[in-house]
Amino acid sequence: MSDTKTADSSPQARRNNATDGRAVRNQGEAGSQGSQVGRRLKIKHLLGLEGVCAEDISRILQTAESFKEVLDRPIKKVPPLRGQTVVNLFYEPSTRTRISFELAEKRLSADVVNFTAATSSVKKGESLRDTVKNILAMKTDVVVIRHPSPGAPHFLTRATDAIIVNAGDGAHEHPTQGLLDIYTLWEHWRTFENKRVLIVGDVVHSRVARSNIWGLLTMGARVGICGPATLIPSSFSELGVDVFTNIDAALDGGVDAINVLRIQRERQSSAFLPSLREYSRLFGIDSERAKSVRPGGMIMHPGPMNRGVEITSDVADGEMSVILDQVTNGVAVRMAVLYLLCGGQTSATREGE
């Protein structure tokens, strides 16, 4: 098709993708060949999904499934992180992610400290390094950080000995959102082989898109991205994804899931789009376009939604929508990430006394 470009990734990238795909297939469906719950991850920090192996992602998915069962209990609390202190260091506004992390930490019995830049010494000129060093001097164990600058979590790994979890750094990555999206798909499919996932919207500004792309490719899915040319990074053609600038071409032949990204209204002054109305007409996911989702498929959105812009209300609230499932799964996935990064040695789901 003239308006689609299938990425010609480098030979090394193709070898890496093939190796990851074989790893997933050799495991079978994640979890089918013996439980990996409670084993340590190969990574020390969660900074992004780029470079995270299929084995670690599968381990997180399995552990999240165990923790999701905990969330349905009358007493939604287990003791693995008792005695551990977690600091939520947020330099950007957040509702869903911050609440989700805080709930995950408290469900694991951790001691939780919340930090907001707007009411801290940052306003007096204190640097990120000094802020974190002062917090760690109080004997904290884990730092969950959201920061507007890409690479801020990586910087902290060189400045501290604490475990660092990236809750979103600029337009770089949002790994726990990527993991909860992947978990939501895995919960229904149990395998990513022969599955086609389309990511639609403002990809250029989206840390969610980047984490989803890296994670889905590692797990063996076929990934496509679609949006106006102004919102598609030119470099993404090198990642091994299918790139579209026409939604109907992207949906041709059917997809197994559509992940709809938020159009970031605050960036409209930069003239990335002629108007939101035109975007909705050309790229919005409505009931007609939703028919291209195959049986058993899903429609997702990381939130917050602009109803009537990137997605219509009937689709967002329809039978194929798993948007609220994503929110629920976010707590379980973040519990799994924190538990495994902190060692994963005690029983994951044993109730506290």
Side-chain angles (χ1 to χ4, degrees), residues 9 38 203 234 264 283:
S9 52
V203 178
S234 58
Q264 301 181 33
F283 294 97

Side-chain angles (χ1 to χ4, degrees), residues 57-86:
I57 294 177
S58 294
R59 189 166 296 147
I60 292 168
L61 300 183
Q62 282 190 303
T63 307
E65 188 168 51
S66 297
F67 280 129
K68 190 171 181 181
E69 182 269 326
V70 170
L71 299 179
D72 291 326
R73 295 177 183 174
I75 300 176
K76 302 174 176 62
K77 200 165 189 177
V78 287
L81 296 193
R82 183 179 294 163
Q84 302 256 19
T85 302
V86 183

Side-chain angles (χ1 to χ4, degrees), residues 5-10 13 17 50 171-173 199 201-214 217 223-226 229 231-244 261:
K5 176 172 60 177
T6 301
D8 292 322
S9 52
S10 68
N17 286 340
E50 181 182 4
H172 175 231
E173 279 213 50
I199 300 171
D202 185 357
V203 178
V204 73
H205 300 116
S206 178
R207 52 195 173 204
V208 173
R210 286 166 174 81
S211 289
N212 267 272
I213 288 169
W214 288 118
L217 288 175
V223 182
I225 58 174
C226 179
L231 296 179
I232 300 289
S234 58
S235 61
F236 272 39
S237 62
E238 303 171 4
L239 299 184
V241 300
D242 301 324
V243 180
F244 300 88
L261 302 175

